[in-house]
Amino acid sequence: MTDAIDRRRFIKTGVTTALGAAVTSQLPACSGTVTLPSGTGAERVYHGGNIVTMDDGHRHVEAVAIAGGKILAAGSLDEVMQTRTGATEVIDLRGKTLMPSFIDSHGHFMNAPQIVRWANVSGPPVGPVTRIADFVPILQAHVKQQGLKRGDWIIGYGYDRSNLAEGRELLASELDPAFPDNPVMLIHSSNHGAVLNSAAFAKVGYSEQTKTPPGGVINRVPGTQKPAGFIMETAFLPIFANMPQPSETELLDTLDAAQQIYARAGVTTCSEGATHAKDLKFLRKGADEGRLYLDIVSLPLILEVPALIREYAPDFKGGPMDLPDEAPKAFGSYRNRLKLQGVKAPTDGSPQGKTAFWTQPLLTPGPGGETNWRGQPLFPPEVVNKALKAVFDKGIQVFTHANGDAAIDMIIDAARLAGVRADQDRRTVIIHSQCMRPDQLPKYAELGFSPSFFTMHTFFWGEEHTANLGPERAAFISPMKSAIAQGLVCSNHTDFSVCPMDPMRVMWSAVTRRSRAGTVIGPDERIDRWESLKALTINAAWQIREEDRKGTLTPGKLADLVILDSDPLTVETDKILDIQVVETLKEGKSVYRRTAA
Amino acid sequence: MTGHLPFTVIGGYLGAGKTTLLNQILTQAAGRRMAVLVNDFGSVNIDASLIRDHDGDTIALTDGCLCCSLVNGFAAAIASILARAGDFDHVIIEASGVADPAKIAQYGQMYELPLDGILVLVDAEQIRTQATDGYVGDTVLRQLAQADLLIVNKTDLVTTSDLSELRGWVSGQAPGTPVIEARHSDVPLEVLFGYAHERVAFRPAAAFPPHPEAFRTWTLEWERPLSLEEVERLASGFGEGVYRVKGFVALESDPDRRQVYQQVGARWTLEPGESWGTSDRRTKLIVIGRAEAGPDPVDAAAAMTGGQHDLA
Ligand SMILES: [Zn+2]
């Protein structure tokens, strides 16, 4: 099992009650204890390591005690040991790092049940594939692990020719010998194409006779019309859309594996950051069946809110933009670990897909070859203004997706029209805020906006952004340093499964802003390690109004903890990426423990 | 399987009248089974007496039409239509107010649906303002440029002089694209559909919805077969006031088959169709034009080839 951690039990009888009663004084945050009902004490005490509180006042403590799923005490070893009872388990961290577990400030939890059923055929750092010969063994292991039978689809994600030493597309004929009877589909990292084997082509009805649809690609075996393996765009998307879907029971059964994606990364609060009605129904079912052991924060998509909150207002007869008075009741509290926190209002697409909405054109052609392309909003400004006003007026928290500066301008306009001000403490979260302009930062401050940045773009798409936006605009993507200087509370996210669930890589990207090619994208926007960790803990808690229960090691907060094998505040910069999670605890209960190597 | 289900994209900026037009299509389909995919389900305002079944994302009408929400995405909506493709004659997709309708058209073609046409509605009163808007101006202009047919709507809200100036502006934005004018999205269905050349949905003129103000419909007939030159002369003879012509031609040089004639604005096609079978071997065309234009353009064209017309 673990056990880098030394567990010893201290059995002392007769002092329990006295000690329990002795530690009732309320001390300042992060160095103190909370009131205990008489007769109780610490269930567990951690000491002997590097304990990082994530509290600006007291960054480190010697020991932490937990009880009843909460933090009971944090402070000097002497202080904390006063909470010890005969039944207290005392754990020596042996130099490891204990800190608040991470909060996923924006991602798509509903991608997890899907991904756990698929093989990871990405290249480093996301996956293991570097050459053609890697595919068959990885897929064979996946078949075994998933217990797939003859005829079942084998699906992989993250396929990309650019990861392969051979520099060419994988061929159906290279998959056929190992998988003659199973259709195989390896989805391209863009989600716009895939490699299929012959069984898969037969299954979807692609043959020599299939014409390539307009806007599509079907690679052919040289000298023939036989599909070679790789297909793209309009030749792929309809096939993908019509793939057989797993049953609800099958999906419910993946919830454990789905949560493990988070738990093994040290994350105990997951974001479902764009929830459709059917997804919410599924999550509610999973929650009510007791399948969730991590917290899930769901943001229903704005267009579906009236349908979603019908249970709170069954007789409501408003139009699509109206909300019933009861609407706010649906938000803000957990039921069986699932919480609706606010409404998600998407306003544009993605910068790497060139579907974001900018004020100034890109330096490169648009996705359809357009010149002077500056993207498009998803909705007309009139619609955004009206829809957001309805949500603001009801006091429901707004989370918008906005990547381009023009999309951000639209949100700023809408908030101003709705009379939004910083002193109202609405905590409007602008997810991504990727291509901000400097003049938008003071407007965020004026309106009380809080950005959830996505600094991993500097690594994964740094070169693309420089080409599309030019070096000056690219240097200001996810401008975390400037936002903090403006006094804004910033979180930082993975947008899982757009990027892997890897908080240490998020931190590293905020600290280094280094691209795949090694260029620093916007050196002035690099931030220090402490701030980069706050963006993954206390600031993320604040954005979902849980700063009183999560994000720091403060007595009274939940014992949501992560133990890391080294200290992210002091290891060599590039070693941040190698930091391993030793154990993750949700409310004091272990939800992941690294097995000994 | 899906190759014979033509689809039409209806685009245009917010407020141009897309929903009104969709409502008309749904309630006036008269025997043509339409599957209509809409963005904003709540705004489709169908007479309750016409609704056979309302089930989550779809509303089934008593006449075989179906209205389906795009809320779960294009792929899901189109998949549910294609699963029962035989139940429909035509698919109509409402593009969102800021979408490029040509992109929506490309999606449809991914599913091997033949594109019937891109119709773009224009708000006569607002379009000039919209076209200069900082957020959406470029989008609005792209929509105009992508249309196969522009419908300048809400003409009752502008003065005659503004309208004539607008005509010039619109044709400058989309040179060569046929433009029709309408109030309250009131456009005969015959003008909207049938751009696809694979088949013609032909209905007797008497079934046309009433639209006394803006449009007028004629039926032209010839007893004898026409030569190709006569057809060419006829096609170029319809004046500016004619929006749409469709029907069958009996061609001298190909007596066994009927020829499918299609015209929108100045663009026309003639393609071989099926054999005449037992039907009457005579040329019969339905012409739709602007009422204000009077009978002249049709008279003139008909006279050139000895045709007769009735005012329908
Ligand atoms: Zn996202």
Side-chain angles (χ1 to χ4, degrees):
Chain A
M1 293 290 289
T2 96
D3 259 33
I5 300 176
D6 190 19
R7 287 156 190 277
R8 285 170 291 159
R9 268 176 205 287
F10 285 72
I11 311 294
K12 281 193 181 175
T13 51
V15 293
T16 310
T17 310
L19 281 175
V23 289
T24 54
S25 61
Q26 290 271 14
L27 295 174
C30 273
S31 175
T33 55
V34 282
T35 310
L36 292 176
S38 69
T40 60
E43 287 164 20
R44 218 176 297 148
V45 168
Y46 291 93
H47 73 104
N50 167 49
I51 302 181
V52 181
T53 63
M54 292 320 301
D55 184 291
D56 284 328
H58 308 75
R59 291 190 178 192
H60 291 89
V61 289
E62 282 179 349
V64 168
I66 65 173
K70 291 186 174 171
I71 294 165
L72 183 66
S76 71
L77 186 58
D78 283 350
E79 270 174 328
V80 171
M81 279 301 190
Q82 287 175 43
T83 65
R84 197 175 68 178
T85 73
T88 301
E89 186 182 13
V90 176
I91 295 169
D92 184 348
L93 291 163
R94 296 196 155 186
K96 299 203 164 32
T97 293
L98 173 79
M99 61 176 288
S101 55
F102 302 115
I103 295 170
D104 167 24
S105 57
H106 173 72
H108 301 274
F109 180 83
M110 281 306 295
N111 289 2
Q114 194 173 41
I115 273 190
V116 297
R117 303 168 68 250
W118 293 352
N120 182 353
V121 293
S122 317
V126 184
V129 170
T130 58
R131 58 205 178 97
I132 299 274
D134 291 339
F135 289 104
V136 166
I138 287 168
L139 296 176
Q140 279 169 334
H142 176 74
V143 167
K144 217 169 143 193
Q145 185 241 328
Q146 293 279 312
L148 298 180
K149 292 184 284 298
R150 196 160 176 255
D152 287 347
W153 276 94
I154 301 169
I155 300 179
Y157 66 92
Y159 169 82
D160 200 324
R161 181 176 73 176
S162 65
N163 298 324
L164 303 177
E166 291 86 348
R168 64 163 173 87
E169 303 293 354
L170 173 69
L171 301 171
S173 58
E174 288 164 318
L175 294 168
D176 291 342
F179 307 104
D181 303 317
N182 288 80
V184 178
M185 175 186 286
L186 306 181
I187 301 164
H188 191 261
S189 58
S190 66
N191 289 331
H192 283 241
V195 171
L196 273 63
N197 71 344
S198 296
F201 279 125
K203 193 114 190 162
V204 303
Y206 274 28
S207 68
E208 289 88 335
Q209 277 84 49
T210 305
K211 283 196 228 124
T212 307
V217 172
I218 300 177
N219 283 4
R220 312 279 176 168
V221 176
T224 76
Q225 281 302 303
K226 201 171 163 349
F230 187 63
I231 58 174
M232 251 191 110
E233 299 297 346
T234 58
F236 164 71
L237 296 174
I239 289 179
F240 187 55
N242 292 318
M243 287 290 285
Q245 296 301 309
S247 70
E248 187 181 73
T249 318
E250 284 173 298
L251 273 184
L252 285 168
D253 287 341
T254 66
L255 276 174
D256 177 37
Q259 290 171 90
Q260 281 300 308
I261 292 176
Y262 294 81
R264 68 171 174 259
V267 178
T268 55
T269 302
C270 317
S271 159
E272 177 19 70
T275 313
H276 288 280
K278 68 171 179 3
D279 296 335
L280 186 60
K281 200 170 147 237
F282 167 79
L283 287 172
R284 278 195 172 136
K285 182 146 195 199
D288 293 343
E289 286 181 4
R291 292 178 187 256
L292 301 184
Y293 49 82
L294 304 181
D295 286 344
I296 297 180
V297 176
S298 160
L299 307 177
L301 284 160
I302 191 160
L303 287 174
E304 304 194 31
V305 168
L308 293 176
I309 58 180
R310 202 164 285 145
E311 70 171 283
Y312 298 90
D315 302 323
F316 180 65
K317 291 271 190 313
M321 292 294 167
D322 303 324
L323 289 173
D325 292 337
E326 296 84 347
K329 284 189 207 161
F331 296 90
S333 52
Y334 283 98
R335 186 172 98 194
N336 296 325
R337 299 214 171 283
L338 175 65
K339 166 173 94 157
L340 302 186
Q341 181 57 25
V343 165
K344 174 72 177 292
T347 55
D348 69 350
S350 79
Q352 68 273 32
K354 301 188 180 185
T355 51
F357 182 36
W358 295 274
T359 52
Q360 300 304 314
L362 299 182
L363 305 177
T364 52
E370 299 89 343
T371 51
N372 264 327
W373 176 254
R374 63 183 190 103
Q376 284 173 294
L378 287 179
F379 303 100
E382 298 92 321
V383 170
V384 173
N385 292 344
K386 189 173 174 216
L388 288 189
K389 185 170 190 319
V391 183
F392 280 128
D393 283 353
K394 287 282 182 294
I396 297 171
Q397 194 178 355
V398 172
F399 295 76
T400 69
H401 161 122
N403 266 310
D405 63 323
I408 292 169
D409 280 342
M410 280 172 59
I411 308 288
I412 290 171
D413 289 355
R416 284 185 173 159
L417 283 169
V420 169
R421 294 187 321 267
D423 62 7
Q424 297 162 336
D425 190 30
R426 292 175 179 270
R427 306 192 192 181
T428 305
V429 178
I430 315 300
I431 295 167
H432 306 318
S433 293
Q434 193 61 272
C435 306
M436 293 187 77
R437 294 189 315 269
D439 69 279
Q440 290 173 325
L441 287 168
K443 293 171 187 161
Y444 273 37
E446 163 205 326
L447 296 163
F449 285 4
S450 178
S452 185
F453 287 123
F454 189 1
T455 60
M456 279 204 287
H457 265 256
T458 56
F459 176 78
F460 284 102
W461 296 282
E463 273 68 44
E464 283 91 332
H465 293 322
T466 305
N468 295 339
L469 300 166
E472 197 184 323
R473 283 161 78 192
F476 208 69
I477 64 169
S478 281
M480 227 163 153
K481 179 96 173 195
S482 298
I484 293 167
Q486 188 65 238
L488 304 179
V489 179
C490 312
S491 67
N492 199 358
H493 61 252
T494 64
D495 205 10
F496 174 83
S497 60
V498 175
C499 285
M501 183 44 62
D502 186 351
M504 288 296 101
R505 183 167 282 279
V506 177
M507 174 191 181
W508 176 86
S509 70
V511 169
T512 67
R513 295 177 68 97
R514 207 178 305 143
S515 72
R516 281 181 191 270
T519 314
V520 177
I521 309 290
D524 294 346
E525 295 302 329
R526 288 176 294 190
I527 56 169
D528 70 30
R529 297 185 188 202
W530 181 256
E531 287 295 342
S532 73
L533 283 176
K534 280 176 71 179
L536 295 163
T537 52
I538 183 63
N539 289 0
W542 183 89
Q543 287 183 334
I544 52 171
R545 294 190 178 273
E546 295 194 48
E547 74 278 12
D548 58 344
R549 55 199 301 268
K550 289 177 184 171
T552 60
L553 302 184
T554 305
K557 287 197 184 182
L558 297 180
D560 289 359
L561 308 172
V562 62
I563 299 169
L564 305 171
D565 67 355
S566 40
D567 180 4
L569 291 172
T570 57
V571 291
E572 206 183 302
T573 307
D574 286 347
K575 291 275 189 293
I576 293 172
L577 294 171
D578 301 330
I579 294 174
Q580 297 284 315
V581 172
V582 176
E583 187 172 13
T584 306
L585 299 112
K586 175 72 182 124
E587 292 168 39
K589 227 177 127 234
S590 184
V591 289
Y592 167 80
R593 213 178 274 175
R594 184 175 65 171
T595 47
Chain B
M1 172 188 87
T2 59
H4 295 289
L5 193 52
F7 81 101
T8 295
V9 180
I10 297 183
Y13 191 67
L14 187 73
K18 294 192 298 293
T19 307
T20 312
L21 184 63
L22 286 165
N23 279 323
Q24 292 201 18
I25 291 170
L26 275 172
T27 51
Q28 298 176 11
R32 208 181 304 182
R33 299 164 306 166
M34 303 282 187
V36 180
L37 312 187
V38 299
N39 285 293
D40 186 356
F41 213 44
S43 67
V44 180
N45 187 14
I46 302 163
D47 188 338
S49 67
L50 294 173
I51 296 177
R52 183 167 52 87
D53 193 20
H54 188 160
D55 167 30
D57 292 340
T58 57
I59 297 175
L61 305 190
T62 47
D63 61 355
C65 289
L66 185 81
C67 184
C68 180
S69 162
L70 284 164
V71 69
N72 291 322
F74 186 83
I78 205 83
S80 72
I81 300 299
L82 294 185
R84 33 183 297 217
D87 293 353
F88 303 108
D89 299 315
H90 202 109
V91 178
I92 298 164
I93 301 162
E94 179 197 16
S96 90
V98 286
D100 282 6
K103 277 192 190 135
I104 310 292
Q106 212 185 24
Y107 291 151
Q109 287 170 298
M110 295 194 309
Y111 294 86
E112 297 175 50
L113 301 177
L115 177 64
D116 189 61
I118 296 174
L119 318 179
V120 173
L121 283 145
V122 174
D123 182 333
E125 193 185 33
Q126 299 295 330
I127 185 71
R128 304 290 290 272
T129 315
Q130 289 161 352
T132 55
D133 182 88
Y135 287 126
V136 296
D138 49 349
T139 297
V140 167
L141 292 177
R142 268 201 311 274
Q143 291 172 346
L144 299 185
Q146 290 167 359
D148 289 317
L149 175 71
L150 284 165
I151 303 166
V152 175
N153 195 21
K154 305 191 172 182
T155 54
D156 49 327
L157 301 181
V158 295
T159 64
T160 321
S161 68
D162 284 351
L163 185 60
S164 73
E165 200 201 324
L166 183 65
R167 280 180 196 136
W169 182 84
V170 167
S171 64
Q173 297 303 328
T177 306
V179 181
I180 64 174
E181 288 161 21
R183 303 167 193 181
H184 311 294
S185 302
D186 185 7
V187 183
L189 300 197
E190 292 303 314
V191 178
L192 302 176
F193 304 122
Y195 288 58
H197 304 151
E198 295 190 40
R199 73 180 198 181
V200 174
F202 196 75
R203 286 194 293 122
F208 281 179
H211 39 86
E213 296 154 298
F215 299 98
R216 202 160 170 192
T217 305
W218 298 263
T219 309
L220 289 179
E221 288 185 68
W222 287 261
E223 299 288 347
R224 58 172 182 88
L226 299 178
S227 70
L228 195 56
E229 290 97 65
E230 282 176 313
V231 176
E232 282 167 4
R233 236 187 304 151
L234 178 70
S236 52
F238 291 122
E240 249 202 28
V242 169
Y243 295 138
R244 185 90 169 88
V245 186
K246 64 198 295 184
F248 298 118
V249 171
L251 200 61
E252 246 173 24
S253 55
D254 191 1
D256 295 335
R257 289 184 295 179
R258 53 192 180 192
Q259 313 290 314
V260 180
Y261 184 92
Q262 294 276 357
Q263 182 164 1
V264 180
R267 292 191 314 194
W268 63 279
T269 58
L270 187 69
E271 288 183 359
E274 286 161 23
S275 98
W276 286 104
T278 55
S279 60
D280 213 4
R281 296 185 187 210
R282 60 159 63 187
T283 298
K284 186 170 178 180
L285 297 176
I286 289 178
V287 181
I288 300 166
R290 196 157 64 219
E292 311 156 19
D296 302 357
V298 180
D299 277 347
M304 278 189 281
T305 53
Q308 304 163 350
H309 73 77
D310 314 309
L311 201 56

